Amino acid sequence: MNIMDFNMKKLAADAGTFLSRAVQFTEEKLGQAEKTELDAHLENLLSKAECTKQWTEKIMKQTEVLLQPNPNARIEEFFYEKLDRKAPSRMNNPELLGQYMIDAGNEFGPGTAYGNALIKCGETQKQIGTADRELIQTSAINFLTPLRNFIEGDYKTITKERKLLQNKRLDLDAAKTRLKKAKVAEARAAIWAEEVTKSEQEVRITQSEFDRQAEITRLLLEGISSTHAHHLRCLNDFVEAQMTYYAQCYKYMLDLQKQLGSFPSIFLSNNNQSSSTPVQSVSTPSVLASASASLPSVSNSVVTSGISELKSSSGSRKARVLYDYDAANSSELSLLADEVITVYSIPGMDSDWLMGERGNQKGKVPITYLELLN
């Protein structure tokens, strides 16, 4: 019975406190009660924390969209994470595309030019898919997890202490309101002096509790600067992971380009253009060593003074083949990367082409695939 009486008294006290806070809050909103304002420094810290929380959520959610564009896959990963189970392994988009290309290449025949090209492209797409998985894993550990820990951990603690501070502030202002009313009543001789003394003591207690809670909240909020410093390190890790990913993709595609060449005859036929004009090749830098490296530019690096001299003379030169090239018709000569052939010009030939000879074979070759030798 004693325990029950104690619980009933506690519930009554809590209900009284809640009612007092509700009345104070309502009167403040109606402009009928004074409100204790927080100091400017604490207000700035609260604003900074709220701003940090909002932008951290936006950055985190958009990073998740960047790493996993499929919303259904994100939902599935979320549920498996909440269930503390590992999500089933599935092919990502590059890997799936790569598998389709490899299957198609095997269907068309690895010995055919198109089938062989599809297989090479498929293998490269699978490499890109593996790099994509590594990017997602690294970014999740080094970037997304720290951001989520802040939202679900540190900021929740800040929110809890901020709510306590708000309650202490309401208790303080309610006590001040009661003291003010008591003094007015005392002046009218409506109450005894001890009632005023009791109200003054209540104000001192609530003021002390408010000051202590304000200090606790301030200390937590000042940790936001450390949070920013930590998130900056995480951001650097994310940028490094992206740089590694794009460097890997660049390397894979550069290797693929060297294996395949640019297939100008195929590209031109798809665009309903004449096959007599080759597509200009894309020259790329040899090393992607840092984030400040320049992007590859489109240029015709082989149109040099040597080509001009060769076209203006009746002589011939040796040339090294840069990329594989499949002849589009019987007037052209197929090429293999790194082989050396003899080239020369004949009157009336298109400026983008030379005549090439390899033993008893001869035919037109695009100059963009050649490097003249001394």
Side-chain angles (χ1 to χ4, degrees):
M1 180 63 70
N2 291 335
I3 295 177
M4 184 176 295
D5 289 343
F6 174 78
N7 290 337
M8 291 299 293
K9 289 180 179 180
K10 187 175 183 303
L11 287 173
D14 291 343
T17 301
F18 177 79
L19 180 60
S20 174
R21 290 171 181 170
V23 170
Q24 178 65 28
F25 182 80
T26 302
E27 290 180 349
E28 287 176 0
K29 290 298 182 182
L30 296 175
Q32 298 175 357
E34 295 181 358
K35 174 182 177 181
T36 299
E37 299 293 341
L38 303 177
D39 64 80
H41 178 60
L42 187 55
E43 287 284 7
N44 288 335
L45 290 176
L46 287 169
S47 177
K48 184 178 181 180
E50 182 65 23
C51 182
T52 300
K53 179 253 187 182
Q54 290 178 357
W55 283 111
T56 299
E57 283 183 331
K58 290 181 179 180
I59 292 171
M60 183 176 67
K61 289 178 180 178
Q62 192 56 40
T63 303
E64 291 173 345
V65 172
L66 173 68
L67 297 176
Q68 177 51 270
N70 188 338
N72 294 329
R74 291 199 303 274
I75 293 173
E76 182 184 54
E77 291 171 359
F78 173 80
F79 280 116
Y80 274 103
E81 181 180 348
K82 291 301 179 182
L83 294 172
D84 197 21
R85 294 175 59 185
K86 185 177 180 181
S89 179
R90 293 189 178 91
M91 284 188 175
N92 55 30
N93 290 333
E95 290 173 331
L96 191 58
L97 174 60
Q99 189 60 54
Y100 287 164
M101 286 182 169
I102 292 174
D103 292 345
N106 288 324
E107 183 75 17
F108 297 147
T112 65
Y114 184 42
N116 187 34
L118 279 171
I119 292 174
K120 290 180 179 179
C121 288
E123 291 170 348
T124 300
Q125 290 297 329
K126 283 198 166 187
Q127 287 179 311
I128 292 175
T130 300
D132 189 62
R133 288 183 183 276
E134 293 173 355
L135 171 64
I136 292 174
Q137 182 179 12
T138 303
S139 300
I141 295 173
N142 297 335
F143 187 59
L144 288 177
T145 298
L147 298 187
R148 188 175 292 107
N149 288 342
F150 167 73
I151 296 296
E152 298 179 355
D154 295 348
Y155 192 79
K156 279 190 175 181
T157 302
I158 290 174
T159 301
K160 176 183 175 182
E161 297 300 330
R162 183 177 181 177
K163 184 177 180 180
L164 284 175
L165 178 62
Q166 171 73 352
N167 289 337
K168 297 298 181 184
R169 202 268 308 159
L170 289 171
D171 291 342
L172 173 60
D173 288 337
K176 287 180 178 180
T177 300
R178 285 191 290 271
L179 175 59
K180 184 177 179 180
K181 291 179 179 179
K183 287 183 175 181
V184 170
E186 182 188 31
R188 297 175 180 174
I191 62 171
W192 299 102
E194 51 263 27
E195 291 295 328
V196 176
T197 303
K198 181 180 177 182
S199 296
E200 289 175 342
Q201 183 180 7
E202 183 184 11
V203 169
R204 286 194 297 271
I205 293 173
T206 53
Q207 181 71 59
S208 175
E209 291 178 349
F210 170 76
D211 292 340
R212 183 178 61 183
Q213 186 59 39
E215 181 65 15
I216 293 173
T217 306
R218 182 185 63 81
L219 291 174
L220 282 173
L221 292 171
E222 287 178 345
I224 291 293
S225 296
S226 299
T227 299
H228 284 190
H230 178 52
H231 287 182
L232 174 58
R233 292 191 294 270
C234 297
L235 180 62
N236 287 332
D237 291 340
F238 179 55
V239 171
E240 184 176 349
Q242 282 188 304
M243 187 177 68
T244 300
Y245 168 72
Y246 289 119
Q248 287 177 324
C249 293
Y250 171 80
K251 180 180 179 299
Y252 296 149
M253 298 309 297
L254 186 63
D255 291 342
L256 178 62
Q257 184 191 47
K258 288 180 180 179
Q259 292 181 62
L260 299 180
S262 297
F263 294 104
S265 60
I266 297 176
F267 290 157
L268 290 177
S269 64
N270 287 340
N271 287 306
N272 296 322
Q273 298 177 4
S274 170
S275 62
S276 62
T277 305
V279 171
Q280 193 177 32
S281 66
V282 178
S283 64
T284 51
S286 59
V287 179
L288 187 62
S290 68
S292 61
S294 61
L295 292 173
S297 60
V298 179
S299 64
N300 194 348
S301 60
V302 297
V303 181
T304 62
S305 58
I307 294 288
S308 300
E309 292 175 2
L310 181 61
K311 283 185 169 293
S312 62
S313 67
S314 58
S316 62
R317 291 276 296 275
K318 293 292 185 181
R320 185 174 68 86
V321 178
L322 299 175
Y323 312 109
D324 291 349
Y325 175 71
D326 288 339
N329 51 57
S330 59
S331 67
E332 297 177 8
L333 180 66
S334 294
L335 303 174
L336 295 175
D338 293 326
E339 71 171 325
V340 177
I341 63 172
T342 301
V343 293
Y344 57 90
S345 179
I346 59 177
M349 176 169 283
D350 190 285
S351 61
D352 292 327
W353 296 78
L354 290 172
M355 288 298 295
E357 286 189 2
R358 183 201 305 111
N360 296 327
Q361 298 177 321
K362 67 170 58 177
K364 294 191 300 181
V365 293
I367 62 175
T368 54
Y369 283 66
L370 305 173
E371 178 186 19
L372 291 181
L373 303 177
N374 295 327

